[in-house]
Structures are given as structure tokens and as C-alpha cells.
Amino acid sequence: MARSSICFAECPKKTGLPREVVKWLQTLDLAFYPKNVRRDFSSGYLVAQIFSHYYPRDFSLHSYDRGTSLSAKQWNWSQIEWSLEKRNLYLKKEAIDGTIHCKPGAAELLVLEVYTILTKGRVSDVEGPEPDFTDEEYQNLLPSLARSTASKAIKNNLTATELKAAPDISTNQRKAENILRRHHEHKAAERILNPGRFKVKPKRSHPAPHNLVPQSQMDKCSDTCSPEGNALKLWSSPAWSRASVSFKEIKVRQPAKHSLVNY
């Protein structure tokens, strides 16, 4: 019982990595197993340790910092990039920056790249679409009422380490504007898909759906068409759609009946 409990405690949680990559990591003699991929790979120490198994002369672990501060992360990753350049090996800069700032999906993509470089293995996730390192995938899994607001979206997708790494106000402002633009686009799509929740009412300037004329009929009518064609255009115009109201729906106000008083 004791042995089984120890094995259960050492079993990793869901890492978001393919099974073959997880088995490969378990065969390496790492200082600690990455239970949280996004957090444990952000410092770069584990990545340097993985490369040291294959290139021990280029990656000496005593020159890497095991700290988690931003300066330690930047130093470790600069050393890794410099050592890889000597062997004409390169990692995606976007994946490195996303891993440093603990962006969603960045560390997983980086580990897959390292696995491909060192083992020459093929993983389908590496050849997939380019991720944007945002929480969009997680937000799509939530119901509409539980999704982030505009301020929460900025907080989730613009970390404090990003502000420290690039303290330029204009750069951070552009990042925040892109996050807000993407958030408003998602909200606009939700309004179209679920208008009842947002109480969206059709505007009077838009033509009514039952009064729309098929495009095939409109193409047959040229600019200098017959009076029937002009009537067809008038019937399909927004003005006619506003005017096409049944007289039964119009309620005429009747003057109030006052009692006559004889003087």
C-alpha cells in the first residue's frame, strides 16, 4: 500500500503534451518532473538540462540560474539561444517569449519543438496552426455568463512580466488595444448568435426579412426597366419595408368621451 501510494503521488497531472513526449521526458534524468508545464518550463532551467543530455559540452548547468525572477528567466533563455546558435539550431522567438511570460499553450509548443529537434520525431501538434497564446480556447469552453469582461481579458492576456520586460507605454498600449479589439469582436459574434440574451431588436432602417426580394429577380431588372421593375425596386426598399404595416395593427386613438353638463 505504501509503495502504491508513492507511485500515485509521483504520477503527473494532465500536462497538455502528447503521450510520446511525456514518456520521453520521463526517461531523462531531470532535476524534477514538470508537473505544471507552463510554470516549470518558464525559467528555462529544465530546457537547458534537457539539452545538456544531448550536448553536455555546450550546456553546462552551473551557468544557469534556477530562480524564477524575470531577470533569471531572461538570462537563462539568452544562454540557451546562444548555445543553440553555435549548432545552427533555433527555437521560435514567439514560443520563447510566451514561455517566459507563462502564456497559454506556449510552453507546450516549445517542448514539442525541443522534442522534434533532439529526437527527430514527428508530432502532429507541431505542424498545426500557429497558436496566438491567448485564453481564447478556454473562454470558448465557458458559458456566455462566465466569460471574461474587457478588463479581465486584458489582465489574463497581458501579464505583469510583459510590462516589466517591455516598459514602453506605446507598445503595451497597442497590446491592450489588440486584446480589446478581439474581445469586442467576440461579443459582436455572440450578439449575432444569441440575440435574445442581449435583447437585440431589429432596427427600422433594416429591411424586413419577409419583404426581401431574391437576388435573381433583382438582377433581371436593369436600371432602365419597366414600371413593373421600378415597382419591384420600390417594394424591396427599406422605406417600403417600414411602410408595409397591416392596417389592423394600427390603433386609432378615439377621443375621450366627456359627459355633457347642462348649464
Side-chain angles (χ1 to χ4, degrees):
M1 294 297 293
R3 181 176 300 178
S4 61
S5 62
I6 294 176
C7 295
F8 179 78
E10 293 178 355
C11 290
K13 298 179 181 179
K14 186 178 180 181
T15 58
L17 296 173
R19 186 177 183 85
E20 52 186 323
V21 179
V22 173
K23 289 183 177 180
W24 171 68
L25 291 175
Q26 290 175 346
T27 58
L28 302 176
D29 188 15
L30 300 178
F32 59 93
Y33 187 83
K35 296 181 179 180
N36 189 326
V37 177
R38 188 186 305 181
R39 179 195 61 200
D40 296 336
F41 279 98
S42 63
S43 64
Y45 183 82
L46 281 181
V47 178
Q49 191 175 11
I50 292 173
F51 278 110
S52 67
H53 283 79
Y54 293 85
Y55 310 110
R57 294 183 179 180
D58 297 331
F59 293 87
S60 55
L61 295 179
H62 68 272
S63 61
Y64 291 90
D65 193 350
R66 299 189 64 171
T68 58
S69 62
L70 180 61
S71 59
K73 294 178 181 179
Q74 292 175 339
W75 166 257
N76 290 342
W77 283 107
S78 63
Q79 290 289 104
I80 292 173
E81 290 181 292
W82 178 74
S83 300
L84 290 176
E85 285 180 2
K86 294 191 299 183
R87 291 187 169 271
N88 294 326
L89 300 176
Y90 302 93
L91 296 173
K92 292 182 180 179
K93 186 63 177 178
E94 296 81 5
I96 294 176
D97 293 339
T99 304
I100 293 175
H101 304 307
C102 298
K103 291 286 187 175
E108 289 82 356
L109 178 63
L110 186 74
V111 175
L112 293 177
E113 285 190 60
V114 174
Y115 173 79
T116 304
I117 292 173
L118 296 178
T119 64
K120 307 300 181 182
R122 293 293 180 182
V123 182
S124 59
D125 293 349
V126 177
E127 300 177 356
E130 188 70 20
D132 54 358
F133 303 144
T134 62
D135 64 340
E136 179 180 356
E137 182 179 358
Y138 171 72
Q139 293 295 327
N140 292 334
L141 298 176
L142 299 176
S144 300
L145 295 175
R147 292 176 183 173
S148 299
T149 59
S151 59
K152 185 65 175 177
I154 296 177
K155 184 178 180 181
N156 292 343
N157 297 285
L158 189 61
T159 60
T161 54
E162 284 185 273
L163 302 178
K164 293 180 181 179
D168 186 17
I169 297 178
S170 59
T171 302
N172 295 326
Q173 185 177 1
R174 286 194 299 269
K175 292 181 181 179
E177 289 175 355
N178 292 333
I179 295 171
L180 285 177
R181 177 183 54 80
R182 187 168 57 248
H183 176 76
H184 291 317
E185 289 176 356
H186 293 168
K187 284 297 182 182
E190 287 184 19
R191 286 176 176 269
I192 296 175
L193 296 176
N194 191 6
R197 176 176 176 268
F198 296 93
K199 299 180 180 180
V200 178
K201 297 181 180 179
K203 297 182 180 180
R204 299 187 63 184
S205 59
H206 294 169
H210 61 275
N211 290 332
L212 291 176
V213 179
Q215 187 65 26
S216 59
Q217 297 183 16
M218 294 295 296
D219 295 338
K220 294 180 181 179
C221 184
S222 60
D223 295 334
T224 58
C225 60
S226 60
E228 291 79 5
N230 293 330
L232 182 63
K233 286 184 178 181
L234 177 62
W235 180 69
S236 62
S237 62
W240 181 260
S241 299
R242 293 194 300 267
S244 61
V245 181
S246 176
F247 288 101
K248 294 181 181 180
E249 298 179 359
I250 301 177
K251 295 182 181 180
V252 181
R253 284 188 178 182
Q254 298 294 336
K257 297 182 180 180
H258 300 281
S259 59
L260 299 177
V261 179
N262 296 327
Y263 293 96

